[in-house]
Amino acid sequence: MAKIFMAGSNFAGGVAVISGKAADEVASLRLKLGDEVIICDGKGSDHRCRISRFSDGEVQADVISSEPSAAEPQVKITVLAAWPKSPARVDQLVRYCTGGGAAEIVFFRSDKSGRSMNAKAEEKHLAQLAETAEAAAKDAGRSVIPPVRAVSDFAGALDIAVKTTLPLFFYESGSGRLSLKEALKDAGSVSSAAIMTGPEGGFEHYEAELAKAVGMRICSMGSRIQRCETAPLMAMTALLYETGEL
Amino acid sequence: MAKIFMAGSNFAGGVAVISGKAADEVASLRLKLGDEVIICDGKGSDHRCRISRFSDGEVQADVISSEPSAAEPQVKITVLAAWPKSPARVDQLVRYCTGGGAAEIVFFRSDKSGRSMNAKAEEKHLAQLAETAEAAAKDAGRSVIPPVRAVSDFAGALDIAVKTTLPLFFYESGSGRLSLKEALKDAGSVSSAAIMTGPEGGFEHYEAELAKAVGMRICSMGSRIQRCETAPLMAMTALLYETGEL
């Protein structure tokens, strides 16, 4: 069945009023009166609806049933990614993390991320990435489009990470790192987690020290060096595997 | 330390003779007499060498020590991927699976892979993909470049899969599929595994039936639909996590 996203919709009274971009989508899907469609409210619920009325630029649909989407993980995963230098990798990271089940994707500048973009350009870039996330959420059959945003620096990212139950920091070198298995050994009971990964070239030693000092778990991703665009997806996969969601 | 690949090298007598492409690489790295370099023999061993002689187009290096590479997984993973329609995705799949630790990558045609390429064009494509795998192996710090090859059809892929100890087939729909966790519950003791994944749009029902009939484990990858270029990496990550290699 066709699936459309309609953020912030009001389904009160069992009727969905579809307008704007979502109405255009209904048109492009060539849906007719009486056809069924799933409306994802972007907050984790799927509403099965039957189209009941077309009017100028607006579509009405009766809500038949509403239920929490099965495609959303129980554990809320925040991906904190240092901006990759390569724009293609930024895009892939958003795509893959959305498909993998991230609740939110937050970029930040780290020592090696080498990003210099003014506020306006960054805003534009984030708007493009929001579209990437929306498309990827649809591809994956998700009901939530993870917000994509940026915080200005490393400290801002740490602050978000430590507010989760399981703050994981991935670092490619140094001793005393936990294996993923060790880092996730009690993950079964967590409600939220942060996966913090570096840009091409990884994090600097002082960054790992800071992360450790604020209480993050410093983890390795095995004995191979992982790519910045796929590392968060790999960590997320191991986490969801451990929590029994894969 | 710089790392170069030299497939099929002969390290007898404790001297490596570096010629051809590998010698060009030594030159491009601006290595000098007495410098150390790691030579990966492409079969899983790392040889630490000291450069002892330059001659016309050839470099000699004394082998200081040789050891099995720590970057190679104990379990030999064969990725069997239906050709994605998108050439970019083919490339990404090779890149990601190499970084993830695949021992071998084998493409095949499936019902929905929609590939029509003559033998000569396919040979050229595979040669490009071998270069992609070599670059990705270097990026990941691996000592083995996984061979990338193609078998002509689905049956050929099944034949390879069932020769491994743990043949996993990923299918997006239908009942009776195992969760990844169920499929991997006894993975700790396996020496080899196959991860077989579909193209964009996945496998057809009859393909899953065939895979089941020959003894493959039909698995789901959770409640989201995964991308063909990242699905094998995700399965590999869960497998290596389960076997304690992450």
Side-chain angles (χ1 to χ4, degrees):
Chain A
M1 201 178 304
K3 219 166 173 174
I4 59 174
F5 279 98
M6 218 166 76
S9 351
N10 182 1
F11 297 97
V15 175
V17 180
I18 307 169
S19 59
K21 197 175 151 198
D24 296 344
E25 215 175 316
V26 170
S28 76
L29 290 166
R30 299 172 184 277
L31 295 173
K32 300 179 304 289
L33 268 184
D35 281 352
E36 289 188 8
V37 62
I38 290 172
I39 301 181
C40 307
D41 62 10
K43 291 172 193 140
S45 290
D46 285 350
H47 307 275
R48 195 171 149 189
C49 301
R50 185 177 295 117
I51 292 175
S52 57
R53 205 166 82 91
F54 285 93
S55 61
D56 197 31
E58 209 176 84
V59 184
Q60 266 187 28
D62 298 332
V63 179
I64 303 167
S65 61
S66 299
E67 50 189 37
S69 165
E72 296 307 318
Q74 295 293 306
V75 49
K76 188 179 174 298
I77 303 173
T78 300
V79 170
L80 294 154
W83 284 109
K85 291 186 193 81
S86 147
R89 291 183 179 201
V90 174
D91 205 69
Q92 284 155 357
L93 191 151
V94 168
R95 211 175 286 278
Y96 302 158
C97 289
T98 300
E104 186 180 26
I105 301 165
V106 185
F107 287 101
F108 61 94
R109 283 176 179 72
S110 75
D111 197 304
K112 288 191 194 146
S113 67
R115 183 174 172 98
S116 64
M117 199 180 252
N118 65 38
K120 202 170 169 184
E122 183 151 300
E123 202 177 311
K124 196 176 156 195
H125 193 191
L126 287 168
Q128 288 165 352
L129 295 174
E131 286 179 21
T132 300
E134 180 168 344
K138 278 190 196 179
D139 288 348
R142 289 190 61 178
S143 289
V144 169
I145 305 167
V148 183
R149 61 189 180 101
V151 289
S152 59
D153 61 8
F154 187 81
L158 288 183
D159 183 53
I160 294 170
V162 295
K163 286 175 181 149
T164 68
T165 323
L166 185 64
L168 306 170
F169 184 92
F170 290 89
Y171 185 46
E172 282 173 358
S173 51
S175 56
R177 294 172 303 151
L178 303 169
S179 70
L180 251 180
K181 196 111 192 175
E182 290 164 340
L184 298 176
K185 69 177 190 299
D186 50 6
S189 58
V190 304
S191 59
S192 63
I195 291 171
M196 191 160 167
T197 55
E200 297 93 338
F203 286 120
E204 289 287 354
H205 182 65
Y206 79 90
E207 292 173 322
E209 289 294 310
L210 274 172
K212 193 174 180 181
V214 298
M216 293 193 74
R217 295 188 188 186
I218 314 300
C219 321
S220 116
M221 198 122 29
S223 49
R224 288 163 296 285
I225 297 160
Q226 296 303 334
R227 312 178 72 80
C228 61
E229 70 271 38
T230 49
L233 174 65
M234 292 175 72
M236 202 183 305
T237 301
L239 172 56
L240 292 175
Y241 181 82
E242 184 61 46
T243 60
E245 302 199 64
L246 276 184
Chain B
M1 202 179 304
K3 218 166 174 174
I4 59 173
F5 280 98
M6 218 166 76
S9 348
N10 182 2
F11 297 99
V15 175
V17 180
I18 307 168
S19 59
K21 198 175 150 196
D24 296 345
E25 215 176 314
V26 170
S28 76
L29 289 167
R30 298 172 186 275
L31 294 174
K32 301 180 303 291
L33 269 185
D35 281 353
E36 289 188 9
V37 61
I38 290 172
I39 300 181
C40 308
D41 63 11
K43 291 172 194 139
S45 290
D46 286 349
H47 306 275
R48 196 171 150 192
C49 302
R50 184 176 297 117
I51 292 176
S52 57
R53 204 165 84 92
F54 284 94
S55 60
D56 196 31
E58 210 176 86
V59 183
Q60 267 188 27
D62 298 331
V63 179
I64 303 168
S65 61
S66 299
E67 50 189 36
S69 167
E72 296 306 317
Q74 293 294 305
V75 50
K76 188 179 173 299
I77 303 173
T78 300
V79 170
L80 294 155
W83 283 109
K85 291 188 193 79
S86 147
R89 290 183 179 202
V90 175
D91 205 68
Q92 283 155 357
L93 191 151
V94 168
R95 212 175 286 279
Y96 302 160
C97 288
T98 300
E104 185 179 27
I105 301 166
V106 184
F107 288 101
F108 61 94
R109 285 175 178 73
S110 76
D111 198 305
K112 287 191 194 145
S113 67
R115 182 173 173 101
S116 65
M117 199 180 253
N118 64 37
K120 202 169 165 183
E122 184 152 300
E123 201 178 311
K124 195 177 157 194
H125 193 190
L126 286 169
Q128 287 164 354
L129 295 174
E131 286 178 21
T132 300
E134 180 169 343
K138 277 188 197 183
D139 287 349
R142 287 190 63 180
S143 289
V144 168
I145 305 167
V148 182
R149 62 191 180 100
V151 290
S152 60
D153 61 8
F154 187 81
L158 288 183
D159 182 54
I160 295 170
V162 295
K163 286 175 181 149
T164 67
T165 323
L166 185 65
L168 306 170
F169 184 93
F170 290 90
Y171 186 46
E172 281 173 359
S173 52
S175 57
R177 292 174 302 152
L178 303 169
S179 69
L180 251 180
K181 195 112 193 175
E182 290 163 341
L184 298 177
K185 69 176 189 300
D186 49 7
S189 58
V190 303
S191 58
S192 63
I195 291 171
M196 192 160 165
T197 55
E200 297 93 338
F203 286 118
E204 288 289 353
H205 182 65
Y206 78 90
E207 292 173 322
E209 289 295 310
L210 274 172
K212 194 173 179 180
V214 297
M216 292 193 74
R217 297 189 185 183
I218 314 300
C219 323
S220 114
M221 199 120 33
S223 50
R224 288 164 296 285
I225 297 161
Q226 296 304 332
R227 313 179 71 80
C228 62
E229 71 270 37
T230 49
L233 174 65
M234 293 175 71
M236 203 182 305
T237 301
L239 171 57
L240 292 176
Y241 181 80
E242 183 62 46
T243 60
E245 303 200 62
L246 278 183

